């Protein structure tokens, strides 16, 4: 009978480990991964509260990433600013560096509201005070080690009048922390793959793929909720001359420098996405702010681009759903309008942005964007990039 009970307990814990691993594997974002880790550990250890925290060495603090379970009023699920100075929890450094470095693994330990549980190494003081303050009976703390370094900790607590965690629970928490570390490593790899897929390698800005995704979402929001969507498309003048006369390395420096200027001007518009579309073409996408705010940022971009040591300024076109450009039902139409405005700015050698729909009912930019394929002076997807490909 006792053996059957032991085997049943082992099966339950094995199932809990599998559920934790599966939950983290299914996560698509860091927040989902953190939540899956804390929830999985809380259920596996029969806790009523759990948290996952990261050790930010450069700031000397333990920052809470997520709180799950029975949270107190001051415990947000994803806290913006819940952190604790490491000196309040010396075990983070002492345990992981002195004890672990001396041999053995980074084992978990148990604390209770009455003090350290019998038979387990512990550190009284702050954690015990926190248990009492929050009305919890005990907790188990498991260091999380990632890439061979202390990353943070997994914390699971139980309520008062519930059996206190023992040494077997601490050993199991150590196993769970290892599973969490593997899940976090997977999340890091996915984040890096996502970053590479949506980032321009030369400038560090977003790339065309990122713009396409964001623009589709933005136009859908405009269609359903009337949100203002504005798109700036700009063409860096003189890149070919720089490449031909000074070399591609210098041309790349011009692209990087302009990317920095675009990033600076994009910061004038809350939440704007700035990107390199390819070659010498860049863009700024804003969702929500008034069109005039975006025009102001584009105007500043033109001014700063003209002051760059290399190049010949920038041709800048803008289209916004807030202006008289007709109904925008697709991302493609808004892109064509912005690109047509940019094409007109280049043809006019304009030193300020050309804004679609602001030249009256017969606006030439809108006419140009609406020309059928094969028309004169086509903008957008049918023009080849004149600059160097990324």
């Amino acid at each position: 009978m006792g053996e059957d009970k032991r085997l049943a307990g082992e099966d339950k814990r094995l199932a809990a480990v599998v559920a934790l691993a599966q939950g983290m594997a299914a996560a698509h974002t860091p927040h989902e991964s953190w939540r899956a880790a804390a929830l999985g550990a809380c259920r596996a250890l029969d806790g009523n509260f759990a948290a996952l925290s990261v050790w930010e060495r450069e700031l000397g603090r333990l920052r809470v990433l997520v709180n799950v379970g029975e949270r107190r009023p001051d415990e947000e699920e994803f806290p913006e600013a819940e952190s604790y100075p490491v000196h309040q929890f010396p075990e983070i450094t002492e345990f992981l560096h002195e004890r672990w470095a001396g041999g053995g693994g980074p084992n978990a330990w148990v604390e209770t509201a009455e003090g350290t549980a019998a038979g387990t190494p512990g550190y009284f003081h702050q954690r015990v005070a926190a248990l009492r303050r929050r009305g919890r009976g005990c907790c188990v703390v498991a260091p999380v080690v990632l890439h061979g370094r202390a990353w943070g900790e997994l914390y699971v607590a139980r309520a008062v009048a519930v059996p206190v965690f023992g040494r077997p629970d601490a050993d199991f928490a150590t196993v769970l922390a290892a599973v969490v570390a593997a899940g976090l490593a997977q999340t890091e790899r996915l984040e890096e793959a996502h970053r590479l897929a949506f980032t321009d390698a030369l400038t560090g800005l977003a790339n065309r793929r990122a713009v396409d995704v964001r623009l589709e979402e933005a136009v859908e929001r405009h269609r359903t909720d009337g949100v203002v969507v504005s798109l700036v498309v700009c063409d860096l003048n003189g890149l070919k001359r720089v490449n031909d006369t000074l070399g591609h390395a210098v041309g790349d420096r011009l692209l990087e420098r302009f990317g920095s200027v675009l990033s600076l001007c994009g910061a004038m518009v809350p939440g704007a996405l700035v990107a390199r579309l390819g070659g010498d073409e860049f863009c700024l996408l804003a969702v929500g702010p008034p069109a005039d705010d975006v025009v102001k940022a584009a105007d500043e971009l033109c001014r700063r681009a003209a002051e760059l040591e290399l190049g010949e300024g920038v041709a800048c076109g803008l289209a916004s759903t807030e202006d008289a450009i007709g109904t925008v039902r697709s991302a493609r139409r808004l892109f064509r309008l912005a690109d047509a405005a940019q094409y007109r700015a280049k043809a006019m050698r304009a030193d300020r942005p050309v804004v679609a729909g602001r030249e009256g009912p017969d606006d030439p930019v809108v006419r140009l964007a609406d020309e059928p394929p094969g028309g004169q002076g086509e903008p957008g997807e049918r023009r080849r990039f004149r600059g160097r490909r990324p």
Side-chain angles (χ1 to χ4, degrees), residues 79-267:
E80 291 292 327
E82 185 182 352
S83 62
Y84 305 93
V86 171
H87 73 262
Q88 292 183 0
F89 302 97
E91 70 273 14
I92 294 298
T93 53
E94 292 174 5
F95 183 88
L96 287 174
H97 287 280
E98 294 179 13
R99 301 197 181 202
W100 187 20
N107 297 320
W109 67 91
V110 174
E111 305 280 0
T112 78
E114 303 304 319
T116 303
T120 65
Y123 299 89
F124 200 74
H125 195 44
Q126 294 290 343
R127 293 190 191 277
V128 174
L131 287 171
R132 293 171 178 170
R133 185 171 65 252
R134 292 186 167 124
R136 294 175 180 136
C138 63
C139 69
V140 60
V141 184
V144 177
V145 178
L146 192 60
H147 309 310
R149 300 184 68 195
W151 179 90
E153 69 171 37
L154 180 65
Y155 174 101
V156 180
R158 283 178 178 171
V160 175
V162 172
V164 171
F165 290 120
R167 184 68 256 172
D169 295 306
D171 292 340
F172 185 43
T174 300
V175 173
L176 295 175
V179 176
V180 167
L184 292 170
Q186 172 189 269
T187 300
E188 282 188 358
R189 289 192 293 270
L190 290 174
E191 281 290 293
E192 178 63 9
H194 184 274
R195 186 189 68 78
L196 293 173
F198 291 93
T199 303
D200 176 63
L202 177 64
T203 64
L205 302 179
N207 62 14
R208 176 63 186 262
R209 183 182 290 110
V211 173
D212 287 343
V213 171
R214 184 77 67 87
L215 187 56
E216 288 284 353
E217 295 171 349
V219 170
E220 181 60 26
R221 286 184 60 193
H222 168 71
R223 290 173 57 194
T224 57
D225 304 323
V227 174
V228 175
V229 181
S230 303
L231 180 67
V232 179
V233 173
C234 43
D235 191 296
L236 185 58
N237 296 327
L239 178 63
K240 185 177 187 304
R241 181 187 61 77
V242 171
N243 283 335
D244 291 345
T245 59
L246 300 175
H248 289 301
V250 178
D252 285 350
R253 287 207 300 274
L254 172 59
L255 289 167
E256 290 180 272
R257 183 73 187 95
F258 179 73
S260 297
V261 171
L262 177 60
S263 179
L264 185 151
C265 295

Side-chain angles (χ1 to χ4, degrees), residues 14 22 41 51 56 58 66 101 111 117 166 209 254 263 267 309 344 350:
L14 178 59
Q22 289 177 334
E56 296 182 329
E58 70 281 10
V66 64
E111 305 280 0
R209 183 182 290 110
L254 172 59
S263 179
E309 183 180 352
R344 181 167 171 78

Side-chain angles (χ1 to χ4, degrees), residues 332-340 368-369 371 379 381-382:
R332 182 178 179 181
R333 173 164 172 77
L334 190 65
F335 195 96
R336 282 179 56 80
L337 283 159
D339 203 36
L368 180 60
E371 280 185 2
E381 298 147 301
R382 293 182 297 281

